Amino acid sequence: HLQQASLKVTAGSIVQAGQTIAAVGSSGESAEPSLKFQVCDTPDIGICRPIPPNLTGYRLPLRIGPPRSIQTGDIVETVN
């Protein structure tokens, strides 16, 4: 769910911390913008192994309990 024509990288690009990749938007039935992504060790999605992303500058506003990493379905807010 990206804003149309907002993509700033191409397949196989190497990105740096803080680099803009694209602008998040919403489409279809989604009530809020959403982002789904996977980081891999090779561009071939048929054989790649996932690499856990090291994200900073966020909080999980609905999290209950001790700190944890982002999980599927989480609502994430940026922290400045």
Side-chain angles (χ1 to χ4, degrees), residues 40 42-49:
C40 288
T42 179
D44 186 340
I45 62 169
I47 62 169
C48 76
R49 293 183 309 241

Side-chain angles (χ1 to χ4, degrees), residues 5-78:
S6 70
L7 194 59
K8 305 289 185 197
V9 297
T10 58
S13 293
I14 296 173
V15 297
Q16 302 297 318
Q19 180 180 344
T20 298
I21 297 171
V24 178
S26 61
S27 63
E29 298 295 320
S30 64
E32 299 290 334
S34 63
L35 174 65
K36 298 159 187 77
F37 71 96
Q38 181 172 333
V39 179
C40 288
D41 64 350
T42 179
D44 186 340
I45 62 169
I47 62 169
C48 76
R49 293 183 309 241
I51 300 170
N54 183 12
L55 303 176
T56 60
Y58 71 90
R59 70 183 195 99
L60 304 173
L62 303 179
R63 178 189 53 78
I64 298 173
R68 62 171 175 74
S69 61
I70 298 171
Q71 298 175 1
T72 299
D74 278 340
I75 293 175
V76 180
E77 293 179 341
T78 57

